[in-house]
Amino acid sequence: MSSLSLHLIRLTVFVTAALLFTAESHAQLDFEREPINYGQAEQHDPVAKLQQQLDDGKIELEHSSDHGYLTSVLEKLNISPESQVLVYSKTSFQLSRITPRRPRALYFNDTSYVGWVQGGDVLEIMTTDPNLGEVFYTLSQEPEGPPKFLQDRGQCLACHASSRTHGVPGGLVRSTFVNPAGQPHYGSGTFTTDHSSPFTERWGGWYVTGTHGDMRHMGNVISKDRQLPEKIDREDGANVTDLSERLDIARYLSPHSDLVALMVLEHQTQMQNLLTLVHYEARMAQHHDQVMNKALDRAEDYVSDTTERRIERACEKMLRYLLFAEEFKLEAKVAGTSKFAAEFAAAGPRDSQQRSLRDFDLQTRLFKYPCSYLIYSESFDQLPAVAKQYVARRLQEILAGDDPEFGYLTAEDRQNIREILTETKPELWNAKP
């Protein structure tokens, strides 16, 4: 082959790779291709592991006439019924069965989410694979035949892989103005909520049990005026502790739709999405370098400036959320109505002073120590080495007070977080590239 032909081949590869890189950087990430292969990769999430146990005959799921496989699935996934939150907006593919009188119930822990609809055909499950992000399954509620979790092949991703989830397969909490049937007034706007969201934009289409003083939210009420859908009676939905007059709550595993559980759910879904984003960006950037290094006869371990910047941008975005930058400052004390807060905080780990990143504040902010507990997750632990090493170094700088962009963290905050992590996650500071 002539040198000119070889040069043209390399140029073609260069242009193609550059175009792919641009598309990945400025549009929704194409995670169905190399190196992610979302739809084809082997899953290592809790539901995939549970299905393997079922297939091997090591466990069985019990079925009941009231809730199908719900109670048994929650038990096997170690999800407490105290995590129950209720959503009455028609934002599930089983929307025909959801109304304000028959809301969908959602149960969750740090890694998995289970949705149950009265009379529904299936349980809806979203669960976290440490490398792929959120994976979606359904489980038929019919007792005939062995139970089989079926992985979604695209239906869920229409909403769960968009700008609302940072372009990766992920979870989200949406707040909408809904009519008496539970149908959202999409023309009036919807809100994707997390820990930075104003209280006034949260929980439209959700039931909320708990107290929150003079603050007002969108939960527990419906929009009755078709011409002015934003005109809702926020007072009627405020500081509700009993749902029995709004629905037949006896049909559910818990009488609560706990305020604190909802706040944790909002934080957790977007935190997990950002961890997935770091996974994807780092792996895609490194894959791009591998293609270019081969095309340009560069050393296999050469790292381009573009790849470094791409990984750093994703890590910085995740770090700001991890450390609760721009968190909405509570204007009144909040409290839930269930045992969720106590169970969640008890999950630890704790340092020698009995401090935990799962300790709640609920006076001016969600947590007492503003560093996400998902720093202990498999998703964090399995970050690509280059990203994990960058995050560890930046955390040390931030907690030392060397970055003015994180000046909202007080000296006490930084000291507490640093001491807790040093005792409960000492390997963090030894991350290697």
Side-chain angles (χ1 to χ4, degrees):
M1 182 180 296
S2 69
S3 60
L4 177 59
S5 298
L6 185 59
H7 174 75
L8 289 174
I9 290 173
R10 288 175 178 171
L11 181 61
T12 300
V13 172
F14 177 85
V15 172
T16 302
L19 288 173
L20 291 175
F21 176 79
T22 300
E24 289 168 353
S25 298
H26 298 286
Q28 179 173 317
L29 298 177
D30 189 351
F31 45 78
E32 294 292 358
R33 300 184 302 181
E34 290 284 351
I36 308 300
N37 293 324
Y38 177 80
Q40 291 77 43
E42 181 180 359
Q43 286 81 25
H44 299 281
D45 60 72
V47 172
K49 295 175 182 178
L50 177 58
Q51 183 63 58
Q52 188 61 56
Q53 290 180 301
L54 289 169
D55 293 343
D56 293 343
K58 295 180 179 179
I59 61 170
E60 294 182 354
L61 293 180
E62 297 180 4
H63 189 278
S64 74
S65 58
D66 291 335
H67 300 102
Y69 289 112
L70 174 63
T71 302
S72 188
V73 167
L74 294 182
E75 179 186 356
K76 296 299 188 294
L77 292 176
N78 195 29
I79 298 175
S80 170
E82 296 295 324
S83 67
Q84 176 181 286
V85 290
L86 302 174
V87 54
Y88 54 87
S89 63
K90 293 180 180 291
T91 48
S92 159
F93 65 84
Q94 298 187 89
L95 56 87
S96 63
R97 292 186 168 91
I98 300 171
T99 71
R101 298 291 297 182
R102 294 165 60 89
R104 178 168 58 122
L106 180 67
Y107 307 86
F108 69 99
N109 60 13
D110 290 7
T111 58
S112 300
Y113 311 77
V114 178
W116 174 80
V117 176
Q118 286 189 45
D121 297 322
V122 297
L123 291 180
E124 306 164 24
I125 302 107
M126 181 178 79
T127 189
T128 308
D129 182 287
N131 293 305
L132 298 175
E134 300 310 306
V135 184
F136 302 86
Y137 295 89
T138 56
L139 176 66
S140 173
Q141 287 282 64
E142 295 297 326
E144 290 79 14
K148 181 74 174 180
F149 293 93
L150 299 178
Q151 185 180 348
D152 174 73
R153 295 301 176 184
Q155 182 177 4
C156 294
L157 295 180
C159 291
H160 287 275
S162 67
S163 59
R164 295 178 182 271
T165 64
H166 301 283
V168 301
L172 72 158
V173 176
R174 296 182 70 178
S175 178
T176 67
F177 299 98
V178 299
N179 68 18
Q183 183 63 42
H185 291 287
Y186 288 114
S188 299
T190 66
F191 307 99
T192 302
T193 55
D194 59 26
H195 64 232
S196 69
S197 300
F199 224 69
T200 55
E201 294 180 358
R202 302 190 191 194
W203 309 318
W206 297 75
Y207 284 114
V208 185
T209 57
T211 55
H212 45 82
D214 294 334
M215 294 188 296
R216 294 295 178 263
H217 54 73
M218 295 168 55
N220 296 326
V221 297
I222 58 176
S223 174
K224 299 178 181 179
D225 192 329
R226 295 179 60 185
Q227 304 303 317
L228 297 171
E230 299 90 346
K231 186 179 179 181
I232 57 175
D233 187 357
R234 293 177 185 266
E235 292 302 318
D236 182 54
N239 295 300
V240 171
T241 57
D242 184 357
L243 295 173
S244 59
E245 293 185 2
R246 301 171 190 256
L247 68 149
D248 182 4
I249 197 63
R251 298 292 300 274
Y252 296 84
L253 300 183
S254 164
H256 309 283
S257 185
D258 192 273
L259 168 63
V260 178
L262 280 164
M263 294 177 70
V264 170
L265 179 67
E266 289 170 322
H267 163 75
Q268 179 172 299
T269 49
Q270 293 299 340
M271 183 68 242
Q272 178 58 52
N273 294 344
L274 286 166
L275 285 167
T276 303
L277 178 66
V278 173
H279 272 275
Y280 280 23
E281 288 284 1
R283 291 162 63 189
M284 287 178 169
Q286 290 178 317
H287 178 70
H288 176 266
D289 265 357
Q290 291 170 3
V291 173
M292 297 306 299
N293 291 346
K294 184 175 181 180
L296 301 176
D297 286 334
R298 296 191 305 215
E300 291 184 4
D301 59 353
Y302 177 82
V303 180
S304 67
D305 291 341
T306 302
T307 286
E308 287 185 348
R309 289 195 298 270
R310 187 175 181 183
I311 295 172
E312 289 173 7
R313 280 197 301 268
C315 288
E316 288 293 334
K317 193 172 185 178
M318 186 269 286
L319 276 165
R320 287 187 61 78
Y321 195 88
L322 179 86
L323 296 172
F324 288 85
E326 301 171 358
E327 181 182 11
F328 174 76
K329 185 175 182 179
L330 298 177
E331 298 162 353
K333 178 181 178 180
V334 301
T337 54
S338 74
K339 297 177 182 177
F340 173 83
E343 288 185 355
F344 180 90
R350 296 187 174 275
D351 69 3
S352 58
Q353 298 184 52
Q354 293 305 300
R355 295 173 297 185
S356 169
L357 296 183
R358 301 174 79 96
D359 287 341
F360 289 106
D361 176 76
L362 304 180
Q363 307 278 340
T364 61
R365 59 192 184 192
L366 179 55
F367 292 108
K368 187 173 183 180
Y369 309 109
C371 177
S372 178
Y373 56 92
L374 287 187
I375 199 169
Y376 299 112
S377 67
E378 281 191 73
S379 296
F380 185 93
D381 288 342
Q382 295 189 30
L383 286 173
V386 63
K388 192 172 181 182
Q389 192 262 350
Y390 178 86
V391 168
R393 177 176 62 80
R394 287 288 290 127
L395 271 174
Q396 288 181 316
E397 295 172 354
I398 294 164
L399 297 180
D402 296 336
D403 191 330
E405 289 192 18
F406 291 83
Y408 64 91
L409 294 172
T410 67
E412 183 179 12
D413 285 335
R414 296 195 306 271
Q415 179 178 343
N416 286 331
I417 295 169
R418 184 170 58 250
E419 290 175 351
I420 292 170
L421 290 176
T422 297
E423 286 197 40
T424 62
K425 198 175 182 64
E427 71 278 7
L428 174 65
W429 311 127
N430 299 321
K432 302 297 182 182

